[in-house]
Amino acid sequence: MKRRQLVAACAVALLAQFPAAWAQTAPLPINAPTEAAFGKLGAHAAVKQALDFIKAEDERTLKDQIELTEIPAPPFKESVRAAEYLKRLKALGLADARIDAEGNVIAVRKGTGRGPVLVVSAHLDTVFPEGTDVKVKVKDNRYSAPGIYDDGRGLASLLTVVRALDQGKFKTVGDIVFVGTVGEEELGDLRGVKAFFRDNKNIDGFISFDGVDISRIVNQATGSRRWRIIYTGPGGHSFSAFGLPSATHALGRAIAKISEVRTVENPKTTFTVGTLKGGTSVNAIAAEAELGLDMRSNSAAELKKLEDQIMVLAREAADEENKRWGKPDTIKVDFKLVGDRPAGASSPDSPMLHAARKGIVAVGGEVKSIMASSTDSNLPISLGIPAVTLGSGGVGGGSHGPGEWYSPVNAWLGPQSQLLTILSLVGVEGVTEPLLPKR
């Protein structure tokens, strides 16, 4: 026993020093309380029936997935899909379901009142702009459409879990809060989950359904910072005003400097200048130009270090453009933060992770990676709230592209493993106590 405790302590210490390394290290053995809880759940008749029900519901889950995918939900315009999701949750008996001020759909399935509060979420929005064709096309058991699995599959799986809980007539010890979040994608900047945690302080754990691969568990948060860096000056005619510093020339200097930055490999830390715009005419000295900068890291410290370095380089670019023409303080640079996703890491020995791993193994799956990513779980992880992101079953590809596709291969394993994980964490009255502790 002492040896296992020492191994756990060492693993936690390693995670604290090298957050990105956890995905490559061997996970700890699933702990005894988790094994015991799953043993009791596996022997419970209602649980067996619920798992069979989920498999029998596979076609209905896919139908939900297709129907929800075909409701456009571009960034900041998720309201039509949200209204439909609210309608479906209410139809499943969650009569108090509502849409909050930010646009999240929220429904509570009450427990006995003496257990933890667990949030189970999927995101409503897609990365695709308004006007994108989201009609699902089918060929050889492959369903293609933008957003078909990110996060159409997660939304559908959540509805199936709700049906399975009702079918098994489960009385849970803890409360389950089902949430369809807005703003997970693109410049939504996690606005939905940020608003949810701003308004709800009593949350003990969080699960996001995002992606399809059930062999992957996300328990670390890849943080990101996104900036618009804007150069401005007087501008003028390319011939008669020649000699004035140019906003586009300053922008070019900045890009050249940024492109030479070196980052650490572990924890993985990245950057890119993703967008450019500026100038008004080919024969005009530009009065304004801007770039869109994305920076990411599995370490909050490395992300801050990278950001500080690039901000210095961006200012140097303006100074050098002004110096080139002998006109100090002519070109100005301004910084506007447009994205802030916090980084963080959870313990490899958390009850949440043990339960998620066991939930996958219990349905015959294999956990192949425990890793970092950027999902709705970033926010609770950064707050110290146990959180994981789980796949919802099947296979897919082409995420965030027009050719995104999904195939329902053994798809029921997703909601089955999710249901078992949820039940173990909140507990079932008369069967198991919650594995998730109250905060």
Side-chain angles (χ1 to χ4, degrees):
M1 185 64 179
K2 289 182 179 179
R3 184 175 182 275
R4 286 187 63 183
Q5 290 173 339
L6 178 61
V7 170
C10 290
V12 173
L14 177 65
L15 177 64
Q17 296 178 51
F18 306 104
W22 167 235
Q24 285 78 44
T25 61
L28 298 168
I30 294 173
N31 63 24
T34 303
E35 293 284 7
F38 273 82
K40 292 175 182 177
L41 289 171
H44 189 51
V47 173
K48 295 177 181 178
Q49 291 169 5
L51 295 178
D52 290 342
F53 171 81
I54 288 173
K55 186 173 182 178
E57 287 280 284
D58 194 43
E59 288 189 12
R60 182 175 178 181
T61 306
L62 180 59
K63 183 173 182 289
D64 284 338
Q65 183 177 349
I66 292 168
E67 291 172 351
L68 290 167
T69 297
E70 292 183 339
I71 301 173
F76 298 95
K77 295 183 178 180
E78 308 97 333
S79 59
V80 177
R81 184 180 285 184
E84 176 61 25
Y85 208 60
L86 176 68
K87 177 182 174 182
R88 293 185 183 220
L89 286 171
K90 285 188 172 183
L92 293 177
L94 297 170
D96 70 338
R98 61 187 177 86
I99 295 178
D100 70 7
E102 195 65 43
N104 299 310
V105 181
I106 302 173
V108 181
R109 192 179 192 276
K110 300 293 288 185
T112 64
R114 61 180 184 85
V117 178
L118 175 68
V119 174
V120 176
S121 80
H123 66 83
L124 292 161
D125 60 320
T126 70
V127 73
F128 302 96
E130 192 171 15
T132 300
D133 180 7
V134 291
K135 181 69 177 176
V136 177
K137 300 171 180 63
V138 188
K139 183 179 180 181
D140 299 328
N141 202 37
R142 176 180 285 204
Y143 297 76
S144 300
I148 184 70
Y149 84 75
D150 185 13
D151 197 22
R153 180 63 190 178
L155 292 167
S157 190
L158 188 150
L159 294 177
T160 296
V161 167
V162 174
R163 286 196 291 268
L165 286 165
D166 289 345
Q167 193 276 340
K169 297 181 172 59
F170 293 105
K171 185 64 176 177
T172 58
V173 180
D175 296 349
I176 308 171
V177 183
F178 295 101
V179 184
T181 61
V182 295
E184 194 276 340
E185 295 286 13
E186 220 234 7
L187 292 180
D189 197 34
L190 305 184
R191 63 187 176 88
V193 74
K194 286 178 179 178
F196 179 84
F197 278 96
R198 182 188 65 228
D199 299 338
N200 298 272
K201 307 297 185 184
N202 64 331
I203 307 303
D204 301 299
F206 183 92
I207 298 175
S208 173
F209 293 175
D210 199 346
V212 295
D213 185 0
I214 72 166
S215 72
R216 183 193 80 153
I217 299 173
V218 174
N219 84 320
Q220 299 172 56
T222 299
S224 67
R225 297 273 284 180
R226 293 171 176 170
W227 289 89
R228 289 172 57 209
I229 302 179
I230 306 160
Y231 293 91
T232 56
H237 193 280
S238 62
F239 190 76
S240 61
F242 184 71
L244 284 176
S246 165
T248 52
H249 291 186
L251 184 77
R253 294 176 188 274
I255 294 170
K257 289 175 175 289
I258 292 169
S259 69
E260 294 300 323
V261 170
R262 297 291 185 265
T263 59
V264 296
E265 292 184 7
N266 187 17
K268 185 174 181 179
T269 303
T270 67
F271 64 90
T272 189
V273 174
T275 61
L276 301 172
K277 66 179 182 179
T280 55
S281 170
V282 67
N283 63 334
I285 297 168
E288 183 171 325
E290 73 171 62
L291 61 85
L293 173 70
D294 174 89
M295 296 172 288
R296 299 183 182 224
S297 180
N298 293 336
S299 162
E302 288 296 332
L303 186 59
K304 179 65 166 58
K305 188 187 303 182
L306 173 64
E307 180 175 276
D308 289 346
Q309 182 181 3
I310 289 181
M311 296 301 105
V312 168
L313 296 176
R315 291 185 179 93
E316 286 179 356
D319 293 341
E320 290 176 7
E321 174 64 10
N322 290 328
K323 183 178 180 181
R324 159 67 178 84
W325 301 102
K327 292 183 169 57
D329 300 322
T330 302
I331 294 294
K332 310 289 186 183
V333 61
D334 188 30
F335 303 90
K336 292 188 178 179
L337 183 66
V338 294
D340 182 10
R341 295 179 177 227
S346 299
S347 166
D349 201 26
S350 73
M352 175 76 74
L353 183 56
H354 282 285
R357 290 169 55 203
K358 186 62 180 179
I360 293 166
V361 172
V363 298
E366 179 186 359
V367 179
K368 295 181 180 178
S369 63
I370 300 170
M371 60 180 292
S373 188
S374 180
T375 70
D376 271 339
S377 291
N378 280 44
L379 203 282
I381 288 173
S382 75
L383 297 173
I385 296 170
V388 292
T389 297
L390 303 176
S392 295
V395 296
S399 177
H400 288 197
E404 186 171 334
W405 62 272
Y406 176 81
S407 186
V409 178
N410 297 329
W412 61 86
L413 296 178
Q416 280 184 341
S417 62
Q418 292 165 344
L419 175 68
L420 289 174
T421 300
I422 292 164
L423 289 176
S424 72
L425 289 168
V426 297
V428 178
E429 188 176 33
V431 182
T432 59
E433 288 298 306
L435 291 174
L436 181 65
K438 296 181 70 172
R439 297 174 67 238

